[in-house]
Amino acid sequence: MSAPLKATAPTGDSTPPPPPVSKGPVRPGDRRGEGVVLNVFSHGFLVLWAVLIVLPLLWLVLSSFKTDAQIGGSAFGWPQNWDLGVFSRAWEKGIGDYFLNTVVVLVFSVPLTMLLGSMAAYVLARYEFWGNRFLYYFFVAGAMFPVFLALVPLFFMVKRLDMLNTYQGLVLVYVAYSMPFTVFFMHAFFRTLPTAVFEAAVLDGASHTRTFFQVMLPMAKPGLLSVGIFNTLGQWNQYILPTVLMQPQSGDDPERYVLTQGLIQLQQQQGYASDLPVLFAGVTIAMVPMLVVYLSFQRQVQAGLTSATLK
């Protein structure tokens, strides 16, 4: 039999080392403090941004109900007389004509922009042909050039077509300058639409025109609404193009100023006999329709901007 093993006395410290502690993965709750700080910062920035936007608009509307003496004495004071007659005076001094001219132009320019832009974007997004990428980047490149670079040749081109100070001339220019953004936006939206629906329409014998107008275009309604709102806002607030193209060319040529031109014209016509409440009322009249349009279709605009990324 083998001799029994003898226990030997341990040398040094007999305490075993502690087992390593596993930290494990970092849980989301461990970063709760960082998330709170980020939320406070982001919400604070949004509140500050809203204040910077709302306060000037509120000041502008309230100044319409003041008198020249009140505006000169205390620009931030509260109106003493809530008289809506100032808006009637502003309308009679030309704001009504400027408003009507702007509406006439946009009634034709916005639908025409949406129709031509969506048709071009649909073809570039759904059909493969030689030169497709070139045409797409050719459209998009139009958004890279400032409008100031083309004012001189544009003026002479419109003049040669005998369209200066005409509604149709300004409509065509608005459509041309709104096409790059419209094609860019709708091209990305049409590419997200399901191909199976397009193929089913083709198998059922639908023509390309019918497939576009009855199948694909209704499916792109959120994108059309979003880009339509943006085009409406951009064309409504356009100043440099109508200033160059909508000037009377002779003494018999009528004035067809749009709202942005009309507000400057109203300020110049006052001279030393200033009527600041009328000017503020005119700016309010020009501003309120776009606020109503955007606030009314705010959810649709957000849905159109996010639907392309969610599909």
Side-chain angles (χ1 to χ4, degrees), residues 150-231:
L151 285 180
V152 175
L154 179 64
F155 174 81
F156 286 105
M157 181 181 298
V158 177
K159 182 179 180 180
R160 182 169 297 182
L161 295 174
D162 197 19
M163 289 187 179
L164 288 176
N165 198 31
T166 60
Y167 295 129
Q168 60 268 26
L170 190 61
V171 166
L172 293 178
V173 173
Y174 275 1
V175 171
Y177 273 92
S178 301
M179 283 288 287
F181 173 74
T182 305
V183 172
F184 172 76
F185 188 93
M186 294 305 301
H187 179 272
F189 199 90
F190 276 122
R191 290 182 67 89
T192 63
L193 298 182
T195 308
V197 179
F198 170 79
E199 294 176 349
V202 174
L203 291 177
D204 288 343
S207 62
H208 295 293
T209 304
R210 186 176 181 181
T211 302
F212 172 71
F213 283 104
Q214 296 187 1
V215 179
M216 306 303 291
L217 198 60
M219 295 176 62
K221 183 179 178 181
L224 286 172
L225 185 59
S226 299
V227 74
I229 296 297
F230 289 134
N231 283 328

Side-chain angles (χ1 to χ4, degrees), residues 84-263:
L84 296 176
V86 65
F87 293 96
S88 299
R89 297 205 317 269
W91 191 269
E92 294 173 357
K93 285 190 175 182
I95 294 297
D97 296 332
Y98 307 146
F99 189 93
L100 179 61
N101 292 337
T102 306
V103 171
V104 169
V105 173
L106 263 67
V107 162
F108 293 96
S109 62
V110 173
L112 194 58
T113 301
M114 301 307 302
L115 176 62
L116 298 179
S118 59
M119 291 175 66
Y122 170 74
V123 172
L124 294 174
R126 309 299 300 190
Y127 294 93
E128 295 294 337
F129 56 91
W130 185 87
N132 182 297
R133 291 290 87 189
F134 173 78
L135 289 177
Y136 171 71
Y137 289 119
F138 180 78
F139 275 109
V140 176
M144 300 171 58
F145 296 95
V147 64
F148 303 98
L149 296 179
L151 285 180
V152 175
L154 179 64
F155 174 81
F156 286 105
M157 181 181 298
V158 177
K159 182 179 180 180
R160 182 169 297 182
L161 295 174
D162 197 19
M163 289 187 179
L164 288 176
N165 198 31
T166 60
Y167 295 129
Q168 60 268 26
L170 190 61
V171 166
L172 293 178
V173 173
Y174 275 1
V175 171
Y177 273 92
S178 301
M179 283 288 287
F181 173 74
T182 305
V183 172
F184 172 76
F185 188 93
M186 294 305 301
H187 179 272
F189 199 90
F190 276 122
R191 290 182 67 89
T192 63
L193 298 182
T195 308
V197 179
F198 170 79
E199 294 176 349
V202 174
L203 291 177
D204 288 343
S207 62
H208 295 293
T209 304
R210 186 176 181 181
T211 302
F212 172 71
F213 283 104
Q214 296 187 1
V215 179
M216 306 303 291
L217 198 60
M219 295 176 62
K221 183 179 178 181
L224 286 172
L225 185 59
S226 299
V227 74
I229 296 297
F230 289 134
N231 283 328
T232 302
L233 294 174
Q235 296 179 13
W236 183 275
N237 297 321
Q238 182 61 245
Y239 173 72
I240 186 65
L241 289 176
T243 300
V244 174
L245 303 176
M246 297 295 283
Q247 296 290 342
Q249 303 301 306
S250 63
D252 300 332
D253 201 4
E255 294 182 353
R256 296 189 176 95
Y257 295 146
V258 297
L259 268 175
T260 51
Q261 290 177 278
L263 293 174

Side-chain angles (χ1 to χ4, degrees), residues 55-69:
L55 284 184
L57 298 180
L58 182 62
W59 175 81
L60 181 66
V61 175
L62 293 178
S63 298
S64 303
F65 297 95
K66 299 179 182 179
T67 61
D68 289 324

Side-chain angles (χ1 to χ4, degrees), residues 46-61 287:
L46 292 176
V47 170
L48 178 62
W49 183 263
V51 170
L52 293 176
I53 294 177
V54 172
L55 284 184
L57 298 180
L58 182 62
W59 175 81
L60 181 66
V61 175
M287 175 186 63

